Amino acid sequence: APVCRPVGPRSRIREPAHRSFPKEMDQGDIDRIVRDFGAAAWRAKEGGLDGVEIFAAGHLIDSFWSPRLNKRTDGYGGALANRVRFALEVIAEVRRRVGPDYCVGMRIQGKASRPR
């Protein structure tokens, strides 16, 4: 059976919540996860919920934002505009799937924690 590993923007830095070393996401992973966020939002809407909240605090999405955690050298790393690209793609896909009149929010941290 294949070994499942969490994914993230980097591979040599422990994931803080579970303390495992994630597999660095390739473009296929990024595209799949963006689509999965959109599909989940669509299911929430079809299920009768009034809106969705994308949780970015302390998990996958905001790990792309941190220059300390995101060591990518492609279009998702480096400059701030690149580091927020994944989050913007998620939001755009969610909006595309649920339409303009559905409530979509994103929970973010006000302060990033730093390991000692």
Side-chain angles (χ1 to χ4, degrees):
V3 176
C4 295
R5 290 174 48 198
V7 294
R10 70 278 186 236
S11 61
R12 291 180 299 281
I13 302 171
R14 281 191 186 270
E15 194 275 329
H18 305 287
R19 303 296 300 150
S20 60
F21 290 96
K23 170 193 171 290
E24 185 171 326
M25 295 169 68
D26 60 29
Q27 189 62 51
D29 293 324
I30 290 170
D31 295 343
R32 175 182 47 83
I33 291 169
V34 167
R35 285 191 311 268
D36 289 347
F37 270 101
W42 178 84
R43 288 191 303 273
K45 181 179 180 180
E46 290 296 304
L49 297 178
D50 294 331
V52 293
E53 180 177 71
I54 302 165
F55 192 78
H59 292 286
L60 178 61
I61 293 175
D62 79 343
S63 67
F64 274 84
W65 299 341
S66 169
R68 182 179 59 82
L69 297 176
N70 183 346
K71 303 298 185 187
R72 298 179 73 98
T73 57
D74 62 3
Y76 294 92
L80 179 61
N82 289 350
R83 290 183 281 124
V84 300
R85 183 181 319 269
F86 177 64
L88 295 175
E89 289 177 0
V90 167
I91 294 167
E93 178 65 9
V94 166
R95 181 56 67 201
R96 185 185 75 76
R97 293 294 303 268
V98 299
D101 297 326
Y102 192 68
C103 184
V104 175
M106 179 175 274
R107 182 179 297 209
I108 62 173
Q109 298 189 96
K111 174 180 134 183
S113 59
R114 297 181 193 199
R116 295 179 189 250

